[in-house]
Amino acid sequence: MQSRTERPDAVVDAPPDNWVDRFAPPRTRPWLRLSRADRPIGTWLLLLPCWWGIGLAMMADAPRLYDLWIALACAIGAFVMRGAGCTWNDITDRTIDAQVARTRSRPLPSGQVSLRGAYLWLAVQGLVGLVILLTLGRAAVWMGVASLALVAIYPFAKRFTWWPQLFLGFAFNWGVMLAYAAHMGRVDPAPVVAWLGAIAWTIFYDTIYAHQDVDDDALIGVKSTARLFGDRSPAILAGFALVAVAVLAVAVGLTGRNQLMGWAGVLAFGLHLLWQLQNFRPDQGDICLKLFRSNRNSGLILALFLAIAGLA
């Protein structure tokens, strides 16, 4: 098997032996890398709030066969729209990425993809996402349209605020309301409150992620909560974890059925965040990346409990 060192076109911070490097046809790899398909954690983190929204909707109402399509549509949509978001992010950050050791091997700064090609790829992914969205009903469509402004703004947030992770949270967790609306035909308080709790979770995990780049970010003037919090990060992130757990518990309490099972899921979710805090080492990039990726598991834990509560 060809190693990473034998693949000069590979992105340095992608997981070793990821499926793109191993199995994708060579001509498709730059485009898949531009969409971060070689790093599926971002797709998971976009998808999981959608699945939370379905679970909350089933708890508030009742399960429907159509929920299976909502769950699948959200998975497909998360893949293509996360890819579109990453493409847009790399278009706007191409100059910055060229100056950061971890990102200069990405397709745009490394020259594997042209700027024109990146814009065309962005359009293709956006069209696929639109087709999927149109199958989810009018309320979900309007929620999807409303999210576009958040997606467009996020890449620029690091230039004007110390809180780009907050803007990421606004955009990445919108799916909890969109998926809920796909089931219910409306947005109730429960998914809105869950969105707020999920934002705190995003600040938690993306600050851990951003600690990998604090030195490079300081040199080029990029802002982040990792730089803002500095040595206080463990204590501050403990506060955001507590907020996420408390607010998500309130969201569960606003539903109508099987709240104890939902609260058990929130508790299990919180215990996973506690485990991350116990292992967090801000100055060790490999540990930060490992903990960041582990948030797929914390999100899946809550999604599983909400699904059980909704189906019971």
Side-chain angles (χ1 to χ4, degrees):
M1 182 179 296
Q2 192 179 28
S3 68
R4 179 186 298 279
T5 56
E6 295 170 317
R7 295 190 187 102
D9 60 337
V11 178
V12 296
D13 64 339
D17 296 321
N18 63 81
W19 75 272
V20 172
D21 289 348
R22 294 177 64 189
F23 302 119
R27 289 188 177 183
T28 68
R29 289 174 189 167
W31 309 100
L32 292 170
R33 290 169 183 149
L34 186 60
S35 298
R36 307 283 202 282
D38 54 350
R39 280 163 286 177
I41 180 59
T43 299
W44 279 110
L45 294 175
L46 186 61
L47 171 60
L48 288 167
C50 300
W51 284 356
W52 295 357
I54 300 170
L56 290 171
M58 292 191 300
M59 291 174 67
D61 181 27
R64 305 174 185 176
L65 188 60
Y66 181 57
D67 293 328
L68 293 175
W69 168 246
I70 298 175
L72 178 59
C74 286
I76 299 170
F79 180 82
V80 297
M81 293 312 296
R82 186 259 184 151
C86 289
T87 302
W88 172 242
N89 186 79
D90 281 11
I91 288 171
T92 61
D93 282 358
R94 60 191 184 278
T95 303
I96 293 174
D97 285 347
Q99 303 176 63
V100 177
R102 186 178 60 82
T103 58
R104 63 170 60 106
S105 60
R106 289 178 176 174
L108 266 172
S110 67
Q112 296 178 49
V113 172
S114 68
L115 182 58
R116 180 184 179 185
Y119 275 115
L120 289 173
W121 184 232
L122 173 63
V124 169
Q125 293 172 102
L127 287 173
V128 174
L130 176 61
V131 170
I132 296 296
L133 180 63
L134 291 174
T135 70
L136 297 179
R138 180 177 298 178
V141 169
W142 282 115
M143 291 300 297
V145 171
S147 72
L148 294 178
L150 298 172
V151 174
I153 292 171
Y154 165 67
F156 301 100
K158 66 176 73 70
R159 294 165 170 81
F160 63 81
T161 177
W162 287 100
W163 292 87
Q165 282 69 28
L166 176 63
F167 284 82
L168 179 66
F170 290 158
F172 244 56
N173 299 293
W174 197 260
V176 69
M177 295 184 289
L178 189 153
Y180 186 99
H183 174 107
M184 298 290 285
R186 65 180 188 271
V187 177
D188 295 324
V192 177
V193 173
W195 176 63
L196 296 174
I199 290 170
W201 176 48
T202 299
I203 294 172
F204 174 88
Y205 67 65
D206 205 58
T207 300
I208 292 175
Y209 181 80
H211 268 283
Q212 299 175 91
D213 297 329
V214 288
D215 292 336
D216 285 331
D217 287 350
L219 286 173
I220 61 180
V222 169
K223 299 176 180 178
S224 72
T225 49
R227 289 189 60 205
L228 178 65
F229 300 161
D231 294 339
R232 300 172 297 155
S233 276
I236 295 175
L237 292 185
F240 277 106
L242 183 61
V243 169
V245 170
V247 175
L248 287 169
V250 172
V252 169
L254 292 171
T255 61
R257 302 186 306 114
N258 300 321
Q259 293 175 350
L260 287 178
M261 180 61 70
W263 283 325
V266 173
L267 175 61
F269 168 84
L271 290 174
H272 193 282
L273 300 192
L274 177 61
W275 170 82
Q276 292 184 55
L277 285 168
Q278 291 173 334
N279 290 276
F280 180 40
R281 303 293 183 272
D283 59 343
Q284 297 183 32
D286 56 340
I287 292 178
C288 291
L289 184 58
K290 177 182 177 181
L291 293 177
F292 167 73
R293 289 174 177 162
S294 77
N295 281 278
R296 179 202 64 176
N297 298 335
S298 59
L300 275 172
I301 289 169
L302 181 54
L304 176 62
F305 274 85
L306 292 178
I308 293 172
L311 292 168

